[in-house]
Structure formats: structure tokens, C-alpha cells
Amino acid sequence: MTRKSWVREKKKRTVKPQPFLTIVKKRGLLSCSGLPMKQGTNMLKLPKVAIQGDTGSYSEEAALSMLGREIEIHHCEHFREVFEMTAAGQTSCCVVPIENSLAGSIHKNYDLLLRYKLKIVREVNLHIQHNLVGVPGVVFEEVSTVVSHPVALDQCESFFEEFPRLIRKSAYDTSGSVRRVVEENHRDWAAIASRRAAKHYGGQVLMTDIQDNKENFTRFFLLSPSVDLPQGANKTSIAFSFKNTPG
């Protein structure tokens, strides 16, 4: 059964049913929720948003920038889980990265978008600033291993060329790397992640802006199973394929 919200029109004394995933304006930001709101108060129930990565990840920053802070974030380890939760109605919407100005398109998420047939509601270009984060009290000279998401490691190639002694170690998430370094007290390890992740997990920023290119941006999509187009929508995305035949 479709859940509905009720919006009172200004000129008429009637109420109008809206789809559950209506995109509504709230303090200048989009909110993917059809739940009722009391005037002058917060939402009775926060909209659920799925992302890949831990607290402090770049996906979380993108979600907050598009939806504001009045959301309930569900953290997933894999992108497939993000799409599955949203398609099944376990979350109202999801936020996923789709391409990076340095690394290019994230083909896996394009494939998942076609498979689960979610709708693109909005997008944001997030400025990515990588930092080297270690355990509090550690100095850079003590670090021998750097852990992070493979894309983040690749985006800091010049940093590793400058310090060839450092060993790279891949992880599923940038912010999760900080959590592991701090919680397990790896004093000879450091993670590449955002300042927000460092602050959340109590890590110490050893170096800032270590990415190769300062103009490092990632485009994120806000996706939902269905959508009412918001006023001012001015962009359309189309996916198509051709038969693999000669001629």
C-alpha cells in the first residue's frame, strides 16, 4: 500500500494527497520524504537514506549537502546493498557517486542504476579534499602504511612518489579506514580521508590536500524509486544500447 502525505493548499481549505517519495522544498534543500510535517517543527519521522561507506564518508557529505541534516542515514559496505535497500523500499532514497573529474565514470553504479531502475532526483558536485589521518600523537615519520579506498589511493599518486617508503593498503571506504586506524591504534598506519571523518573518529590530520589535482570533484546522484519533478528541473538523463552486430 502506498503511503501518503497531506499538504494543505494556501488558497483552498482542502487537503491534497501526495506520493510517498514526493520531493519537497525545506530550508532551500530537497527532502526525499512524503511523511507529514507539522508547521514550524521537524519531520515526525526522518527520511531514510542509503549510502555506501561509514560516517564521515564523502557520500555522507553529499547526502547532507542535498538533503540537510534531518535525515536517517543507513551505511552500507557495498553499492549493490545501497540500490537493493532503496529499490525494496527499505529506504526512501539513496546517494551514490557516479563519476569523478580525475578517475572518470564509476561504471558499476551506472550498471546498478539500469538494473534497479531508480530515478535520478538531483545531483551535486562535491569538492574532494584528501587528508592523511593518523592516531593522535603520531608524527608522519612514524607512518609506514597508508590505507584507503583504491580510488583515493590512486588520486594521491604524487604523494606516494614523494614518499616511496609508504606501503599502500586498499579498504572498502575512506572514512572506514580512519575508523580502523584509530580504533585499532595502528600507530604506524595512516588513512586517506576527509577532515570530517578525522573529526568524527578522533583521528589526527597529519597532512592536508594530498590529492594530485586540487580540482578534484565527484558527482553524486540522489536516487529514488519514483519522483515528482521539482519546480525548475532542467536536466534529463537517458540510457540506451545498440545491438552488437556488424555494419
Side-chain angles (χ1 to χ4, degrees):
M1 181 180 294
T2 303
R3 299 176 65 182
K4 299 180 180 180
S5 64
W6 300 88
V7 179
R8 186 174 296 278
E9 297 179 348
K10 292 183 178 179
K11 294 183 179 180
K12 298 180 180 180
R13 292 287 182 178
T14 58
V15 292
K16 180 182 178 182
Q18 298 291 335
F20 175 52
L21 291 171
T22 296
I23 308 303
V24 297
K25 275 282 191 177
K26 187 170 185 288
R27 299 197 183 102
L29 297 169
L30 288 175
S31 177
C32 57
S33 174
L35 295 170
M37 295 175 60
K38 290 183 178 180
Q39 188 173 11
T41 64
N42 295 333
M43 282 180 282
L44 295 179
K45 187 176 181 181
L46 300 182
K48 297 179 180 179
V49 185
I51 66 167
Q52 187 273 334
D54 285 352
T55 301
S57 65
Y58 294 112
S59 290
E60 186 177 80
E61 287 191 30
L64 293 172
S65 71
M66 286 189 283
L67 299 170
R69 297 190 173 276
E70 296 175 348
I71 57 178
E72 179 183 318
I73 297 180
H74 289 250
H75 303 273
C76 304
E77 185 171 348
H78 303 290
F79 286 120
R80 179 178 50 79
E81 297 174 51
V82 173
F83 281 84
E84 284 180 348
M85 287 189 70
T86 305
Q90 294 175 296
T91 59
S92 307
C93 53
C94 64
V95 172
V96 297
I98 204 69
E99 66 181 4
N100 176 263
S101 58
L102 303 181
S105 298
I106 303 173
H107 299 291
K108 178 186 295 184
N109 285 346
Y110 277 108
D111 292 339
L112 290 169
L113 181 59
L114 293 175
R115 181 190 304 175
Y116 289 95
K117 303 185 184 306
L118 299 180
K119 306 298 188 297
I120 302 171
V121 178
R122 194 181 183 187
E123 66 177 31
V124 65
N125 286 306
L126 186 69
H127 189 201
I128 306 298
Q129 295 175 288
H130 290 316
N131 305 277
L132 190 69
V133 184
V135 175
V138 166
V139 295
F140 174 65
E141 288 70 24
E142 297 178 65
V143 176
S144 61
T145 300
V146 177
V147 59
S148 192
H149 189 278
V151 173
L153 294 173
D154 290 343
Q155 291 175 351
C156 301
E157 190 65 38
S158 297
F159 167 76
F160 288 108
E161 290 178 357
E162 184 178 354
F163 303 101
R165 65 180 177 81
L166 297 174
I167 300 171
R168 309 182 204 192
K169 188 177 181 64
S170 297
Y172 84 96
D173 179 45
T174 54
S175 57
S177 302
V178 177
R179 176 174 55 81
R180 182 180 178 187
V181 168
V182 175
E183 289 183 357
E184 298 180 9
N185 196 32
H186 288 296
R187 300 188 66 82
D188 58 341
W189 284 24
I192 294 178
S194 66
R195 279 186 173 273
R196 191 167 179 273
K199 182 178 180 180
H200 179 79
Y201 293 109
Q204 177 180 324
V205 176
L206 304 176
M207 289 188 181
T208 61
D209 289 339
I210 63 173
Q211 67 272 12
D212 295 342
N213 192 328
K214 306 305 179 186
E215 296 299 312
N216 184 11
F217 289 85
T218 296
R219 183 158 67 116
F220 289 84
F221 280 169
L222 172 65
L223 306 172
S224 74
S226 61
V227 60
D228 287 344
L229 291 179
Q231 186 176 2
N234 59 1
K235 190 171 185 178
T236 300
S237 297
I238 302 174
F240 57 90
S241 61
F242 296 98
K243 292 182 178 179
N244 185 19
T245 58

